[in-house]
Amino acid sequence: MEKRDIPVESLEQDEFGIGRYVKALCKFIRDSDTPMTIALQGEWGSGKTSFMKMIETSLCSAELPQEDRYDSIWLHTWDLFLENDYDTAVKKLITSLFSQMEEHFDTLHSKQKSEQRIKLMKEYVKGISSMMLTAVNVELEASGKVLDQIFGGNSTASVRKLKRDFENYVVREVNERDNGVTDQAFLIFVDDLDRLEPRMAVTLLEALKNLFDIEKCIFILSIDYDVVAMGIEQKYGVSTLVNRNIGQDFFDKLIQVPYVLPVAKYDISDMVMSRLKEIGFFEREYDYVKYEGKIVEIVQLATNKNPRAIKRLLNMIHLLTAMEIGEAGRHAELRMMEILLMALQMTFPKVYNMLARNNNLDTWKRRFHVPDSQAAISDHIRQQYDLDEEWKEIIYLTVAQDEVIRRNYYRIARLLEIYENLQDRCHRVGERVEDALGIVNVMCMNNDNQNAVKYDGEAYDKSSQTQYRQGARLVNSIDFSCYTNVLDVGCGNGSTTLDMWNQNRDMHVFAFDLAASQIDKAREKYEEIFLKENTEEFKGDIDFEVMNALDLKAKAEYDLVFSNATLHWITDEKRMYSLLFEALEPGGTLAVHQGGYGTYAGLHQMARDAIRNIGLEEKFKRWIFPAFYPKKEEMELLLREIGFTDIRVESVYSDEKDNENLVDNFAKASLIFYRQAALTDDEYEALEAEYFRLCKTEPVNKSSHRLYIYAERPKEKRTAE
């Protein structure tokens, strides 16, 4: 069963053996005086929310005696993630806090009339909220109006007196026995602060700090010091002042107990191995015992024991097993290799892509991976990192250039040492590493493996005539005078984008492509227009950016989504077209040109013949060309399932006999994907040379099948008939 990434609720659900740490922190809370603020620190996904949930279950359970029970309040700041206005975010947070507190006091069982209590509570809320809003520079007059709507009532008392009165009110009610409110204190959990923009997180903390010193209140925050430091610098433009670390001072002043989650102490063995047994990963029970130590080491190196990362990795291994991509009866050694490669691909995709291009570490050469200017390594570094093999030098130099993985050389090097050992074991039992690479490539081709395909923007610009001609048909079929906001998915070198925009320069176009070199060429062409023409004559513009299409998050923003010769490269077609549907505003239009079933079959056959001629058939034995080439009927069905209406798909067949550029165009846009099948640089160069030789000496079938796709997002949701 797939493990969802949701927090555990109780100690009984603890999968990582951290119950004793939760119990220790709970004992500390019980033994400590209030007020108090605790910061749970740990990287994203390290289990902070689960830790909080277990604290809540241990201290706030309804099954506990009244005299031992705490009352809990949850502030889920993740709900404010999309909030751009800081003032509104603070107001929403305050509203959530005090509305929950009012609910607790609504249950009071005492002689004082509930109406009087509610009136008192609202007066406190309004005054204290005004103070909190003022702390983040919110205009009092405006905030008062909002708070009047939220809480009602009016107050002329001083904020300071109200805060003191409110504290006395809370203390009095908590100290009174058998009145329905906790006899201990309020635990106020503030979750997901580290998932917000750092400046937003600091803004919310500045608002909440006015309550941190109220007795009978314990704040437990999910926040990391690095987020606070970054937020201080973003908000105030400085991180230090007169030899003082402002971020550290701010953090220390707010937090009495900085508790770092004991991730290094997490026991992941039982969780990992029980999950592998559940999915039937190995055929023999013996192999779970034999490889347990190595499996746990791989998972630990890849995830740093981060619970979220572990669950993601295990889910991918589960999916790999369920899809039955590889042959049945694979040796345990090859299955171990699949775990290692999947872990490497998910955690260090850049290193995985290097390995996918050449899976024999002994043949790695620095000239293929590292620019000469960065190839020098001092003797001190060589000894410190034990760089006794050329592949280790390459990994060290690669890691040193990458901000994301700079501090992870030892983890990567150890994973590759395990890889070498498993490679030898696979060889001894007659298994091929290429088979494991092929399986992982199929599983992950939509993500980082596509990034491994590098377009040469200059070369592509000179050899993209075919794509440009095919895109012209799409452009000429559209009346652009009807559109204002346009999304161009996979704009390439920008030629088609500019043709489209030139028909209505009042359009605002957001155009993106995965290849940075392509975007560079597009921007050059766009800038030429501004150098030559009077830009005051039109209102629109084009924003060219580098982006992965599967990262698209736009919601109802565009009246036209346009794409030329791109979407067949995204094999998660339903997800991709669903994202485009979401990006369209109701009534918006989809216009796409992409490859159809059987397109360029003759040129692909030339590539296969070249592979056979140079003796690389084994490497491509189970490799599948990563493209989505549907039939017309399949495309129509997909669009209907997603929710599109007014669907029109045109199939266009052409023999392309007069297209003199097609052989070269195919090499620059399609042949490069054959490099994914674990080819070395030398092997790919040989494949490319043989492909061109065959195309010159033998008859070439250049026939193509293109789809021109038009559809609309309904103006209103269709109701079930």
Side-chain angles (χ1 to χ4, degrees):
M1 179 181 293
E2 178 186 349
K3 294 293 184 181
R4 296 173 58 201
D5 186 19
I6 56 176
V8 301
E9 299 284 343
S10 64
L11 294 175
E12 289 72 24
Q13 297 173 328
D14 172 27
E15 295 182 298
F16 297 99
I18 60 174
R20 60 194 178 106
Y21 301 102
V22 174
K23 291 177 181 178
L25 186 55
C26 288
K27 184 177 186 304
F28 171 81
I29 291 172
R30 285 193 179 280
D31 293 344
S32 300
D33 295 328
T34 63
M36 180 166 53
T37 305
I38 301 171
L40 299 183
Q41 299 182 77
E43 65 179 0
W44 195 37
S46 58
K48 296 188 291 296
T49 302
S50 293
F51 214 89
M52 293 167 118
K53 288 285 188 182
M54 286 189 277
I55 291 173
E56 181 188 32
T57 302
S58 300
L59 296 179
C60 307
S61 172
E63 298 177 1
L64 291 172
Q66 174 74 21
E67 63 272 14
D68 294 333
R69 177 178 56 80
Y70 291 72
D71 279 352
S72 63
I73 291 173
W74 279 86
L75 301 180
H76 297 284
T77 61
W78 178 243
D79 296 339
L80 306 174
F81 175 73
L82 296 177
E83 186 60 65
N84 293 320
D85 182 63
Y86 293 161
D87 300 351
T88 303
V90 171
K91 293 168 189 173
K92 288 181 177 179
L93 189 72
I94 295 167
T95 302
S96 177
L97 171 61
F98 283 109
S99 63
Q100 290 183 67
M101 190 162 277
E102 280 191 72
E103 289 176 7
H104 283 287
F105 284 107
D106 279 346
T107 64
L108 287 170
H109 309 307
S110 107
K111 295 179 181 179
Q112 188 175 1
K113 293 181 179 180
S114 59
E115 293 84 0
Q116 292 177 313
R117 292 180 178 276
I118 292 172
K119 182 179 178 181
L120 273 175
M121 186 67 179
K122 289 181 176 178
E123 288 180 358
Y124 298 148
V125 165
K126 181 179 177 182
I128 294 169
S129 299
S130 298
M131 172 185 62
M132 294 168 69
L133 291 170
T134 305
V136 288
N137 300 317
V138 180
E139 186 176 338
L140 266 173
E141 183 179 353
S143 67
K145 292 178 181 178
V146 173
L147 290 164
D148 278 340
Q149 292 178 358
I150 296 173
F151 303 110
N154 205 346
S155 177
T156 57
S158 71
V159 169
R160 186 171 298 178
K161 182 177 183 303
L162 271 173
K163 180 180 175 182
R164 186 168 59 250
D165 290 346
F166 175 68
E167 181 177 32
N168 291 336
Y169 175 75
V170 172
V171 171
R172 183 174 65 250
E173 299 299 345
V174 170
N175 286 337
E176 184 177 330
R177 297 294 177 260
D178 299 324
N179 65 347
V181 174
T182 174
D183 291 347
Q184 291 291 335
F186 285 96
L187 295 184
I188 302 170
F189 297 95
V190 187
D191 196 16
D192 290 330
L193 280 167
D194 56 350
R195 297 175 72 177
L196 299 177
E197 176 199 11
R199 180 175 177 177
M200 173 69 82
V202 167
T203 300
L204 298 180
L205 282 174
E206 286 179 320
L208 288 172
K209 69 181 180 183
N210 295 281
L211 299 178
F212 285 173
D213 59 350
I214 290 182
E215 202 173 334
K216 300 300 181 181
C217 289
I218 299 172
F219 282 81
I220 302 177
L221 316 176
S222 170
I223 187 68
D224 201 68
Y225 166 72
D226 290 339
V227 174
V228 172
M230 192 180 303
I232 291 292
E233 187 166 1
Q234 285 180 357
K235 186 167 185 178
Y236 298 107
V238 294
S239 57
T240 58
L241 185 66
V242 194
N243 297 322
R244 290 176 57 191
N245 185 322
I246 300 175
Q248 187 67 59
D249 287 351
F250 181 86
F251 190 83
D252 291 345
K253 185 174 181 179
L254 294 183
I255 309 301
Q256 285 80 55
V257 183
Y259 186 90
V260 179
L261 262 63
V263 178
K265 300 292 186 181
Y266 288 2
D267 183 358
I268 67 173
S269 301
D270 290 345
M271 185 263 201
V272 170
M273 298 310 298
S274 63
R275 182 75 189 284
L276 290 178
K277 290 178 181 179
E278 283 177 17
I279 65 177
F281 186 76
F282 290 121
E283 293 188 356
R284 301 184 306 173
E285 189 70 24
Y286 165 75
D287 289 323
Y288 293 107
V289 178
K290 178 180 179 181
Y291 289 107
E292 177 176 350
K294 196 61 66 182
I295 290 171
V296 171
E297 183 182 9
I298 291 171
V299 174
Q300 181 174 326
L301 288 167
T303 66
N304 243 355
K305 293 189 176 181
N306 182 295
R308 181 172 290 128
I310 293 173
K311 290 175 183 177
R312 285 184 64 238
L313 175 57
L314 291 174
N315 282 339
M316 289 301 292
I317 293 172
H318 185 181
L319 181 60
L320 180 152
T321 304
M323 290 178 67
E324 299 180 347
I325 297 174
E327 291 184 353
R330 301 194 296 282
H331 281 83
E333 287 79 1
L334 189 64
R335 301 242 62 191
M336 284 293 297
M337 182 64 81
E338 291 167 10
I339 292 177
L340 175 73
L341 292 175
M342 185 65 74
L344 198 60
Q345 196 281 333
M346 289 186 63
T347 312
F348 305 112
K350 179 180 288 188
V351 177
Y352 172 83
N353 288 332
M354 294 165 64
L355 193 63
R357 288 195 292 271
N358 183 354
N359 62 62
N360 188 349
L361 296 179
D362 292 336
T363 64
W364 279 22
K365 302 297 179 184
R366 277 191 293 183
R367 68 178 184 274
F368 289 133
H369 297 283
V370 184
D372 290 340
S373 61
Q374 298 177 356
I377 300 176
S378 68
D379 291 339
H380 169 71
I381 293 295
R382 198 178 298 278
Q383 292 177 1
Q384 179 181 350
Y385 290 95
D386 192 25
L387 305 181
D388 54 354
E389 297 182 67
E390 190 161 0
W391 70 261
K392 292 183 179 180
E393 296 178 9
I394 293 169
I395 291 299
Y396 171 79
L397 292 168
T398 300
V399 167
Q401 299 168 39
D402 193 310
E403 284 286 345
V404 177
I405 59 176
R406 182 172 293 173
R407 295 189 293 269
N408 292 298
Y409 168 79
Y410 289 112
R411 289 169 62 194
I412 296 170
R414 178 56 188 150
L415 283 168
L416 290 179
E417 287 174 350
I418 296 172
Y419 167 83
E420 279 194 310
N421 179 265
L422 287 174
Q423 187 179 41
D424 290 340
R425 297 177 70 91
C426 285
H427 180 71
R428 286 200 294 270
V429 297
E431 294 280 14
R432 300 167 63 254
V433 173
E434 289 85 351
D435 291 343
L437 280 165
I439 290 170
V440 176
N441 282 343
V442 170
M443 289 287 297
C444 306
M445 65 172 63
N446 294 318
N447 302 313
D448 295 295
N449 280 332
Q450 283 193 338
N451 294 340
V453 176
K454 302 297 182 184
Y455 284 96
D456 182 335
E458 194 71 38
Y460 185 90
D461 191 48
K462 295 176 181 177
S463 63
S464 58
Q465 299 93 338
T466 301
Q467 293 85 344
Y468 178 71
R469 177 175 55 79
Q470 293 165 341
R473 178 187 177 114
L474 184 66
V475 171
N476 293 334
S477 69
I478 301 170
D479 179 7
F480 290 98
S481 65
C482 306
Y483 302 108
T484 304
N485 296 308
V486 179
L487 175 67
D488 186 358
V489 180
C491 62
N493 58 24
S495 295
T496 304
T497 314
L498 290 169
D499 281 355
M500 170 176 62
W501 186 64
N502 283 332
Q503 296 198 30
N504 176 11
R505 291 192 176 182
D506 290 336
M507 295 189 305
H508 299 282
V509 181
F510 176 56
F512 67 85
D513 198 276
L514 185 60
S517 60
Q518 297 274 52
I519 292 299
D520 290 341
K521 293 302 300 182
R523 288 171 177 165
E524 287 178 18
K525 295 176 181 181
Y526 183 50
E527 288 168 4
E528 288 176 5
I529 294 176
F530 284 83
L531 293 175
K532 295 177 181 178
E533 303 184 28
N534 181 7
T535 58
E536 295 180 357
E537 295 179 355
F538 46 84
K539 301 177 182 178
D541 54 19
I542 307 177
D543 181 14
F544 286 107
E545 297 293 341
V546 177
M547 192 175 89
N548 189 324
L550 291 173
D551 290 334
L552 182 64
K553 293 181 173 60
K555 303 293 182 185
E557 291 185 24
Y558 302 99
D559 48 13
L560 173 64
V561 169
F562 178 97
S563 182
N564 175 46
T566 295
L567 297 184
H568 45 252
W569 298 127
I570 301 175
T571 54
D572 192 348
E573 64 276 4
K574 188 163 187 178
R575 177 184 171 195
M576 185 67 256
Y577 275 92
S578 296
L579 291 174
L580 301 185
F581 181 88
E582 293 295 326
L584 279 170
E585 61 184 29
T589 301
L590 175 76
V592 172
H593 155 244
Q594 73 153 77
Y597 181 76
T599 195
Y600 303 139
L603 291 170
H604 282 290
Q605 187 58 52
M606 283 293 181
R608 291 285 180 177
D609 291 345
I611 289 167
R612 184 188 65 247
N613 291 350
I614 61 176
L616 292 177
E617 286 178 291
E618 279 297 310
K619 287 205 171 186
F620 289 88
K621 189 174 181 180
R622 295 182 182 85
W623 185 77
I624 302 171
F625 186 74
F628 168 58
Y629 288 144
K631 298 177 181 178
K632 174 184 175 180
E633 298 76 15
E634 293 171 337
M635 193 71 240
E636 290 170 338
L637 178 61
L638 172 66
L639 295 175
R640 279 197 300 271
E641 288 178 346
I642 291 171
F644 283 101
T645 57
D646 297 325
I647 298 166
R648 178 164 56 93
V649 180
E650 299 176 5
S651 272
V652 177
Y653 294 90
S654 172
D655 59 23
E656 301 286 350
K657 288 182 178 179
D658 297 327
N659 190 343
E660 297 178 355
N661 302 306
L662 185 55
V663 169
D664 187 54
N665 293 168
F666 179 87
K668 296 294 189 297
S670 298
L671 188 66
I672 54 175
F673 283 90
Y674 282 78
R675 192 167 194 159
Q676 290 183 346
L679 297 186
T680 66
D681 297 279
D682 290 340
E683 286 170 339
Y684 180 74
E685 289 174 8
L687 168 59
E688 189 178 40
E690 181 62 10
Y691 162 80
F692 280 116
R693 188 192 70 79
L694 289 173
C695 289
K696 286 181 179 179
T697 58
E698 298 184 9
V700 183
N701 173 10
K702 297 190 287 186
S703 61
S704 71
H705 173 209
R706 316 305 295 177
L707 296 180
Y708 290 86
I709 302 159
Y710 307 90
E712 289 189 4
R713 176 174 178 172
K715 291 183 180 179
E716 296 181 358
K717 287 186 176 180
R718 291 175 296 175
T719 57
E721 295 181 357

